[in-house]
Amino acid sequence: QGEELEKAGVQSIADLLEFVSQADVRQRGMFGVQADISIRGSSFDHVMVLVNGINLSDAQTGHAALDVPIDPENIERAEVFDGSAARTLGAGAFTGAVNMVTRR
């Protein structure tokens, strides 16, 4: 988890999500300004991206804004909710969610 991320040398949260096996990350801007994440072939608006349980998806477009001011070294682990998480997380998590948990 945390040690693995340090060894991988990720530069941004979008880079970090590239290591999530079920997730496909597509960036359309530098440093994760706009990045689409899909899980198991879903579309971008069916996957919720969270940091410590706080949704980062744009409410109007559904795109994820991954240019958050969190150093990837401060992320302890990435939790992947594979399958529908809409019941517990909300309408943006039809095919899954990714929650990045920061170090204390």
Side-chain angles (χ1 to χ4, degrees):
Q1 299 275 359
E3 294 173 4
E4 293 172 18
L5 297 177
E6 288 178 22
K7 291 177 186 176
V10 295
Q11 303 278 326
S12 68
I13 291 179
D15 291 344
L16 168 72
L17 291 175
E18 293 285 344
F19 287 93
V20 177
S21 63
Q22 300 98 330
D24 177 31
V25 180
R26 309 267 171 124
Q27 295 187 63
R28 287 194 300 281
M30 300 279 296
F31 309 110
V33 170
Q34 187 178 51
D36 292 335
I37 297 128
S38 65
I39 292 179
R40 297 176 46 203
S42 68
S43 68
F44 66 88
D45 57 346
H46 292 159
V47 178
M48 186 178 287
V49 179
L50 308 115
V51 172
N52 294 330
I54 298 170
N55 187 0
L56 297 182
S57 300
D58 185 306
Q60 291 181 330
T61 66
H63 294 281
L66 298 179
D67 59 337
V68 293
I70 297 173
D71 191 338
E73 293 177 359
N74 292 328
I75 295 177
E76 181 179 324
R77 68 184 183 277
E79 302 170 336
V80 178
F81 300 94
D82 188 15
S84 180
R87 176 186 276 181
T88 56
L89 296 175
F94 290 120
T95 59
V98 177
N99 183 36
M100 291 161 285
V101 179
T102 58
R103 299 174 197 248
R104 298 199 181 267

